[in-house]
Structures are given as structure tokens and as C-alpha cells.
Amino acid sequence: MANETIKRDVVILGSGPAGLTAAIYTARANLKPLLIDAPADAEKQTAPGGQLMITTDVENYPGFGEGIQGPELMHEFRKQAQRFGTEFMEAWIREVDLSERPFQLYTDSVTISTETLIIATGASAKWLGIPGEAKVPDGFGGNGVSACATCDGPLPAFRKKVLVVVGGGDTAMEEATFLTRYAAKVYVVHRRDKLRASKIMQDKAFQNEKIEFIWNTTLEEILGTPEDGVTGVRLRNLQTGEESVFDCAGVFVAIGHKPNTDLFKGQLDMDDVGYLKTSGHSTATNIPGVFACGDVQDSVYRQAVTAAGTGCMSAIDAERYLDHLPVAMPSGDEVTIEGEHITPDHKAIITPDGHMIPNTDERESV
Ligand code: NDP
């Protein structure tokens, strides 16, 4: 039986700050956006609302003098997007075809056909891939192993216990510092003898009496029992090769994030890590009509406010594109929905059939 096909001008994938801001702008521009949320799934680390749904205090989002809770902030974003008529759909997109417009997105029950696509699928925490790390019942994931201190740190299983944080970046410092609110002691295990974290975050961690560092060391295995959860880790000193068992009640993996771009492999240009490449001058990807915003294209800033900012940019880019106006591409060209390319020096227009015509106003040449 053929699937139902839904046709739209703007489809947004993802409902974090980037996706919802793109929805607010495109909805206010009367483009009737359809926003597709991945269903909540602990294994795949998807949660409608994105990473802020697993955050507590947000103190650096402008406009909230006293700070705001992450889930509350995202609730407000969503309410605002709904107010202007954004349509929401919860679905897994299993495949996309971006080879020609309208682009096709396939779920198990429906095909979505869209003139423009705004990708705001965010990023997910990376894992070590060691024995004991997988989700219960294969490992202790959810039973002593976590990638989110703010979500799981306050749980009774971790209170007044010895905990291990893995990583040497800002996330690891932030997680370790946060965990000292509850834990007896937090050990940061790092594979080098220098941290990657910013100086201010390092200093904060070094000054915290509850935090200690285990340098030049990796985790080889997470140990435990189904009844007690995590009971320890097997460590390996990279300088001596020596292995040892270290007792702890919890392991927080904080080794960075991976952009959620598997769906677009082979179709959209990405960097080595998988972040989508966008034009410096717009949120355009290498395919005209496909835009990317938020953490899925930003490995540098990765803040809620920058995600919201690029979400706004994507909406304006999609709007311009649908209005037959040129949008800047990563190549330096500008492209219109008709397939015209304006050269980076603005001197010529290349038509879809390959003809080059001067980009001059006839009135000038009279
Ligand atoms: P980073 O990539 O900065 O750091 C990852 C850390 O994990 C590194 O120390 C790395 O080691 C280590 N690591 C990576 N893979 C492994 C592995 N397989 N085994 C053991 N260790 C591993 O990621 P973060 O998530 O910490 O930060 C990402 C970005 O987000 C940064 O720009 C950061 O500044 C920002 N951020 C800012 C915050 C804030 O300002 N409040 C909070 C959190 C993040 P090595 O150093 O040896 O490569």
C-alpha cells in the first residue's frame, strides 16, 4: 500500500532552540512550517526539546535575570512556535532523498515532500565503547553509567558516593563540579596530563576539594553487578601500562558530542566529525534549499543562544529562497530557487542550462 504523502514548503527537523526558533520565524512569516520531533528515546538520546530538556539551571540565556530551568525554557519556545501556527509531528525519519526538489523524507507511515528543509537535529553525547558501558541489560548504562550529570547526578544511587568522570574538556569539568554537590568525591580520569578545558573551568575544578584527577589513564571496563549497579572501573595507566581496579558507584562519560547527521551521509557536505558544513554567510548547506542550524553545524559555540540565533538565520534563509531571492552557498555562489547561480564576484549569473549572462542592470548600461 502506498504511503500517504504530505506536501509542505518548510519542514524543520529537531525541536531544540534552533529548530523551535526556525519554527517561530517561519510560522510568523506565514510559511506554515511542519516541525518533526524525534520521539523520546533514552538509547538514542533523543528528547523532544533537545539537550536543554536534560539540563537544570540555565543562567546564560539572555532575558532571564534570575535564570530559568532548561525544560521550562523549551516549553516557552514551543508555546511561542505553536502560537504562530507551527504544526508538530513526532516521527522517526528513516531516510531522506535530497537529490532534487521537492525533497523527500520517509517515515514508516508517511512520505513528506518539502520545498525547503531546515536541519536542526543537534548533537548527542559520545561514548567510550568499553565493556560495561552499554545500556542495561548488556551493561550498566542507566544503572550507574551516565552521560549527563545534571540529569542523573542527583539520583540516590550517586549521593555521598565516589564517582568517576571521564574526559578533560569543559563538559568533564562542568559535570565533575556539578556532581560534587551530591557525591562524596569525584575523580576525573583523563587520558593525558593536560586538560583541554578552558582555564576558568580548570581552575574551578582544581580548587574544588572534592575533585581529584587521575592523569594519563583510560577506562578499560566498567565493573558491577545487576543488583548493585556499578561497583568500580578497570583503569589502565598509559605511561606504565599498569592496570588496576578502582572502586566507585558511578561513571559519567564526558568526552564530547557527535552531531546527529547519519541520515544525511553521502548527501550533505560534513566535516571529519560529521558536523554539517554551512556557508559562512548563511545557513545554506551544499544543496540549495537545505539549511542547517544549531549544534548540528556548530562545533565551536554550541550554546542555546547561538543555536537560537542560527535557527533564526535558517528561517530567514528559507524565506528568502522561497521568495525567489538569492541565498549565499558554501561555494561562495548565491543560488535562487530557479537554479540560477550568481558568481561570488556578483559579476555574472549562470542560468540552470549553463548560460552565463552579465549581472548588470540594463539601465546602467544605457
Ligand atoms: P571536548 O572535545 O572539548 O573535550 C573532550 C575531552 O574528552 C577531551 O579532553 C578528550 O581528550 C577526551 N576524550 C575524547 N575522546 C575520548 C576517549 N575515547 N577516551 C578518553 N577521553 C576522550 O568536548 P567537551 O564536550 O568537553 O566540549 C565541547 C565544546 O563545548 C568545547 O568548545 C567547550 O568549550 C564547550 N563547552 C562549554 C561549556 C561552558 O562554557 N560552560 C560547558 C561544556 C562544553 P583529549 O583532551 O586528550 O583530546
Side-chain angles (χ1 to χ4, degrees):
M1 194 181 77
N3 282 347
E4 181 197 356
T5 297
I6 299 175
K7 292 185 179 156
R8 290 291 182 275
D9 281 335
V10 180
V11 169
I12 301 164
L13 298 183
S15 58
L20 287 170
T21 303
I24 293 165
Y25 272 76
T26 49
R28 280 195 83 232
N30 263 342
L31 293 172
K32 300 186 172 41
L34 169 66
L35 185 146
I36 302 176
D37 264 344
D41 186 311
E43 186 103 13
K44 295 183 177 130
Q45 294 186 53
T46 52
Q51 293 182 73
L52 282 188
M53 295 303 284
I54 51 169
T55 307
T56 51
D57 298 331
V58 179
E59 294 181 329
N60 52 9
Y61 198 89
F64 298 92
E66 302 300 319
I68 184 167
Q69 296 292 298
E72 196 185 334
L73 179 60
M74 293 326 297
H75 178 70
E76 291 299 323
F77 267 72
R78 187 174 279 259
K79 228 167 66 184
Q80 200 174 349
Q82 259 157 353
R83 182 154 77 90
F84 297 112
T86 303
E87 185 187 349
F88 289 86
M89 176 194 281
E90 202 171 278
W92 283 112
I93 305 292
R94 57 175 171 75
E95 200 186 329
V96 297
D97 180 356
L98 308 179
S99 59
E100 57 179 357
R101 237 187 33 255
F103 309 119
Q104 308 294 320
L105 317 178
Y106 303 99
T107 77
D108 281 340
S109 55
V110 73
T111 300
I112 301 146
S113 176
T114 184
E115 292 296 330
T116 61
L117 177 66
I118 296 178
I119 300 170
T121 47
S124 307
K126 284 201 293 195
W127 294 96
L128 293 162
I130 56 171
E133 187 187 42
K135 287 268 162 204
V136 171
D138 301 321
F140 301 102
N143 191 17
V145 177
S146 167
C148 178
T150 41
C151 332
D152 299 328
L155 295 174
F158 300 125
R159 285 182 187 249
K160 299 197 168 86
K161 299 282 171 53
V162 172
L163 304 178
V164 159
V165 170
V166 189
D170 279 338
T171 302
M173 297 310 108
E174 199 169 63
E175 302 252 303
T177 305
F178 177 81
L179 288 170
T180 59
R181 292 191 202 176
Y182 312 97
K185 196 98 189 170
V186 178
Y187 289 84
V188 176
V189 176
H190 183 38
R191 62 185 177 183
R192 294 189 293 137
D193 62 356
K194 279 195 183 62
L195 295 173
R196 182 178 293 278
S198 55
K199 187 175 178 324
I200 188 164
M201 304 283 275
Q202 292 194 26
D203 289 348
K204 212 171 163 183
F206 287 142
Q207 282 158 18
N208 191 321
E209 287 177 357
K210 279 188 168 180
I211 299 180
E212 295 215 13
F213 288 82
I214 303 177
W215 302 106
N216 300 308
T217 299
T218 52
L219 256 66
E220 297 293 296
E221 186 180 358
I222 299 172
L223 308 165
T225 64
E227 301 75 37
D228 298 329
V230 170
T231 56
V233 287
R234 194 156 53 79
L235 300 178
R236 189 160 75 92
N237 183 306
L238 293 177
Q239 288 181 327
T240 62
E242 196 182 311
E243 291 204 359
S244 58
V245 169
F246 184 84
D247 292 342
C248 65
V251 175
F252 288 81
V253 179
I255 59 168
H257 289 80
K258 180 184 172 301
N260 298 319
T261 53
D262 287 353
L263 197 54
F264 314 107
K265 271 193 183 136
Q267 301 193 61
L268 292 177
D269 288 349
M270 308 178 183
D271 69 11
D272 292 345
V273 181
Y275 286 94
L276 295 182
K277 287 189 181 170
T278 50
S279 158
H281 306 292
S282 77
T283 59
T285 65
N286 57 303
I287 296 185
V290 180
F291 305 94
C293 52
D295 285 7
V296 78
Q297 54 85 56
D298 172 18
S299 59
V300 179
Y301 302 104
R302 301 180 50 235
Q303 300 300 300
V305 65
T306 50
T310 54
C312 160
M313 289 163 67
S314 270
I316 292 173
D317 289 337
E319 204 181 315
R320 284 179 66 89
Y321 188 73
L322 289 166
D323 274 347
H324 303 262
L325 295 170
V327 170
M329 301 296 292
S331 57
D333 289 12
E334 291 178 16
V335 174
T336 68
I337 197 165
E338 285 83 13
E340 295 160 325
H341 285 244
I342 300 157
T343 54
D345 59 9
H346 275 218
K347 287 193 173 151
I349 299 170
I350 303 163
T351 61
D353 55 9
H355 286 92
M356 187 179 277
I357 50 174
N359 184 25
T360 47
D361 189 329
E362 277 179 16
R363 282 167 301 181
E364 278 175 22
S365 53
V366 174

